Amino acid sequence: MRSRFKAIPVLVVIFSLLLAVNTLYAASIKDQMAARIPAINSLKDSGLIGENNTGYLEYRSGNQPDQATVNGENSDRRKVYGAIAQKEGVSPVLVGQRRAQMIAEKGKPGHWFQAENGKWYQK
């Protein structure tokens, strides 16, 4: 019985550390995404990228500058969608599709969006 009680504080410490790491990781992704907003908006303003119907950024032409920004954003979105999906008990694909609809609804006039049928339109 006694060894069981000694394990409880260890488990509490481990759980606390995991929670702290997870919180720092989430904050790190949030900070990275926030830092990319000006570059992403510039690419959207130029019409080079748009928001596709699965919740990710997509180049609209062969001209693909600043790929590190687009790839980094899409990678972070994938992680966020996965975490939300796990929490809600749905697929990451569904989370991305829902997010795509929200982005399109709130999107800036002049930016490009992909409709559910795959066709691109400018708001």
Side-chain angles (χ1 to χ4, degrees):
M1 211 32 127
R2 194 175 212 140
S3 64
R4 218 164 155 203
F5 290 115
K6 288 181 182 178
I8 291 174
V10 172
L11 291 175
V12 169
V13 169
I14 290 171
F15 179 76
S16 296
L17 287 173
L18 289 174
L19 186 60
V21 167
N22 190 37
T23 301
L24 288 173
Y25 181 69
S28 172
I29 289 175
K30 184 178 177 181
D31 291 344
Q32 290 172 354
M33 293 176 85
R36 287 190 204 103
I37 290 173
I40 289 169
N41 282 338
S42 176
L43 290 167
K44 285 181 177 181
D45 290 344
S46 70
L48 291 170
I49 64 170
E51 294 281 352
N52 70 22
N53 60 10
T54 60
Y56 297 98
L57 298 174
E58 187 173 321
Y59 283 100
R60 299 197 59 256
S61 70
N63 185 10
Q64 300 182 357
D66 209 358
Q67 287 184 1
T69 297
V70 172
N71 292 341
E73 180 68 14
N74 285 339
S75 176
D76 284 347
R77 287 184 185 190
R78 208 170 344 282
K79 292 170 191 169
V80 170
Y81 297 165
I84 293 169
Q86 186 176 21
K87 185 177 180 180
E88 294 183 359
V90 297
S91 74
V93 171
L94 181 60
V95 173
Q97 291 168 338
R98 288 177 181 168
R99 182 69 180 133
Q101 289 173 344
M102 291 183 346
I103 292 169
E105 288 170 9
K106 295 179 180 183
K108 181 178 170 185
H111 287 184
W112 288 89
F113 303 91
Q114 188 180 41
E116 285 184 41
N117 66 6
K119 293 188 180 185
W120 287 93
Y121 67 94
Q122 192 172 22
K123 192 169 185 178

